[in-house]
Amino acid sequence: MITLHDWQLNKEKWLNKDLTLMTTEEGWKERTQKGGISIWQRPFEDDKNDLFRWRLPKVAANHEEVFEVFTNQMIDFHHYWTAEYTGGYVVKIIDENTQIIYQQFDPNKPFISKRDLLYIQWSRKIDDKTIQTSFRSIIWEELPVPKGFERIDWWGGHLFEANNDGTSQLVLIDRENQGGFFPSFMMNKIMPQYLIHQFESIITFFEKGGTKTHQKLSDSQNTALINKI
């Protein structure tokens, strides 16, 4: 996890690093494939949890709309592609391209604790057809881990690219350290199928109208609001 000071010192370097990881093949190994979409895997520095990647070649919305959903409306619609998600909110807006976000997850399985996630995400427009977002888990003393939760250490990014027909491509890189007693070897084993479920749900979400036809998570269902500061 990083501090705000770490981010201030490294934000441009990290954007460039993430862009390279999302757009080049060096170091990646194909793990599995479904529907013509591959899940790629590579070791992650300083963590036994590996880094994964997928590219969706055709999302049924333009790249600016998909960017808006994943960057500014994630807390409202995340439950459509991550079943464990139970709520979240924006903790702090740093600037027009940067915000700190909090989310909660309930696996609803015996002996597996609830998880929460506190991260900074920042974005840049590369050109008229490409937008990039990166995210890192952040240490924020004002928001400690609630009782009964384990905090996820998350690292990764998205690339939103326009297609000529009005659809878009979406790239994800994702490394998740679940914390607690959840072993890295198990996480590396289950991540490909977990990511397949996610990208299938994302494709369906936009095919069926995106935010125009799906309901936001209601405040009454949003578990994170209970402890909102």
Side-chain angles (χ1 to χ4, degrees):
M1 296 186 185
I2 66 168
T3 65
L4 186 60
H5 183 63
D6 294 331
W7 173 79
Q8 290 168 334
L9 291 176
N10 295 284
K11 55 184 178 179
E12 292 301 323
K13 179 177 72 175
W14 287 342
L15 281 170
N16 293 334
K17 178 179 181 178
D18 291 358
L19 183 61
T20 297
L21 287 167
M22 288 190 282
T23 57
T24 61
E25 302 307 314
E26 184 179 355
W28 291 101
K29 181 179 180 180
E30 187 179 40
R31 173 71 180 273
T32 189
Q33 185 184 106
K34 187 169 183 183
I37 299 172
S38 296
I39 302 292
W40 300 86
Q41 183 175 358
R42 61 182 292 158
F44 186 85
E45 57 186 348
D46 302 324
D47 198 302
K48 292 182 179 179
N49 293 275
D50 288 343
L51 181 66
F52 292 85
R53 183 182 75 179
W54 47 242
R55 173 185 288 273
L56 308 186
K58 192 167 186 176
V59 180
N62 69 63
H63 75 296
E64 292 181 341
E65 179 181 343
V66 180
F67 167 79
E68 180 67 19
V69 171
F70 277 86
T71 305
N72 297 317
Q73 298 177 297
M74 177 70 87
I75 59 175
D76 296 322
F77 297 102
H78 196 177
H79 55 294
Y80 285 104
W81 53 87
T82 301
E84 299 86 2
Y85 173 73
T86 61
Y89 58 88
V90 175
V91 176
K92 185 177 180 66
I93 296 175
I94 305 297
D95 58 43
E96 62 180 356
N97 297 310
T98 311
Q99 52 191 337
I100 295 173
I101 296 173
Y102 178 71
Q103 298 188 35
Q104 291 186 345
F105 305 86
D106 185 356
N108 198 26
K109 294 181 179 179
F111 311 114
I112 300 181
S113 300
K114 296 177 181 179
R115 258 61 181 176
D116 72 348
L117 179 62
L118 180 63
Y119 64 99
I120 187 168
Q121 68 172 24
W122 68 109
S123 307
R124 65 178 175 183
K125 182 178 180 180
I126 296 174
D127 55 41
D128 288 342
K129 294 187 175 182
T130 313
I131 309 172
Q132 178 189 355
T133 298
S134 288
F135 38 80
R136 303 285 190 272
S137 285
I138 192 168
I139 298 167
W140 199 256
E141 293 182 358
E142 293 90 338
L143 216 165
V145 182
K147 183 178 180 180
F149 283 78
E150 297 284 351
R151 182 151 292 175
I152 300 168
D153 185 353
W154 196 36
W155 189 105
H158 284 114
L159 194 64
F160 309 87
E161 300 174 284
N163 289 329
N164 292 331
D165 62 357
T167 64
S168 60
Q169 299 191 37
L170 174 63
V171 183
L172 166 75
I173 52 172
D174 183 6
R175 191 276 292 158
E176 299 182 20
N177 186 329
Q178 293 287 318
F181 298 102
F182 202 96
S184 58
F185 78 87
M186 182 64 70
M187 193 67 188
N188 291 338
K189 182 177 181 179
I190 67 174
M191 274 292 283
Q193 292 304 314
Y194 176 76
L195 290 174
I196 285 172
H197 168 75
Q198 278 204 321
F199 78 59
E200 289 179 331
S201 299
I202 290 167
I203 290 170
T204 299
F205 176 84
F206 287 102
E207 283 181 343
K208 294 188 175 181
T211 60
K212 299 179 183 67
T213 56
H214 293 80
Q215 296 295 315
K216 295 181 179 180
L217 185 73
S218 67
D219 287 352
S220 63
Q221 294 175 301
N222 192 332
T223 60
L225 295 180
I226 295 173
N227 298 316
K228 185 176 180 180
I229 56 176

